Amino acid sequence: MLTEIEPTARSPLTGEPLAAAEADRLAGLLKALADPARLRLLSLIQAAPRREACVCDLIGPLGLSQPTVSHHLRVLTEAGLLEREKRGVWAYYRIVSPNLSTVASLIAPPRRRRSPRPRTAS
């Protein structure tokens, strides 16, 4: 299982190059996200009332079998994008916000750097 990504990971879009290890970790996150069912799972969990969902509540909306949904949830969990908590016979999933925020900052447009204002002679 991947650990939480350092919040100091930089993007080429922000003007600072990624280190090789950071690029490898981020590529793993992006690979886990690169599936329509997994993106839908994240959106369903994020939209859930307590920002968590039981696997039993995710099967119907996706229209996939329980083993297929569990497979996608496992991929997202192993990538560090979800946390899993077992309650009785069911597993509940929550989004790991810092890791998802890292991905979001990677693909967000760069912030413009302010250029110093030219001084005018008085």
Side-chain angles (χ1 to χ4, degrees):
M1 180 193 290
L2 293 178
T3 57
E4 194 171 292
I5 291 180
E6 294 291 323
T8 58
R10 299 286 184 241
S11 162
L13 298 176
T14 61
E16 297 180 36
L18 288 171
E22 291 170 341
D24 286 342
R25 285 191 300 263
L26 287 169
L29 291 175
L30 291 169
K31 184 177 177 182
L33 289 170
D35 183 279
R38 292 182 203 140
L39 290 172
R40 291 202 55 219
L41 282 168
L42 287 174
S43 71
L44 288 165
I45 294 167
Q46 185 68 24
R50 294 185 345 186
R51 304 254 191 264
E52 68 177 12
C54 173
V55 66
C56 61
D57 296 326
L58 299 169
I59 297 165
L62 283 180
L64 299 173
S65 68
Q66 185 274 324
T68 302
V69 171
S70 291
H71 163 75
H72 288 302
L73 290 167
R74 182 175 43 82
V75 170
L76 292 168
T77 301
E78 288 176 354
L81 293 164
L82 293 178
E83 293 176 327
R84 179 181 184 269
E85 182 183 337
K86 185 88 169 171
R87 297 182 198 160
V89 296
W90 294 107
Y92 286 77
Y93 293 86
R94 281 183 303 281
I95 291 176
V96 178
S97 295
N99 287 348
L100 201 54
S101 295
T102 299
V103 173
S105 68
L106 173 71
I107 59 176
R111 292 186 181 137
R112 290 183 174 228
R113 293 185 180 153
R114 291 185 181 181
S115 56
R117 289 189 209 174
R119 293 188 175 192
T120 56
S122 310

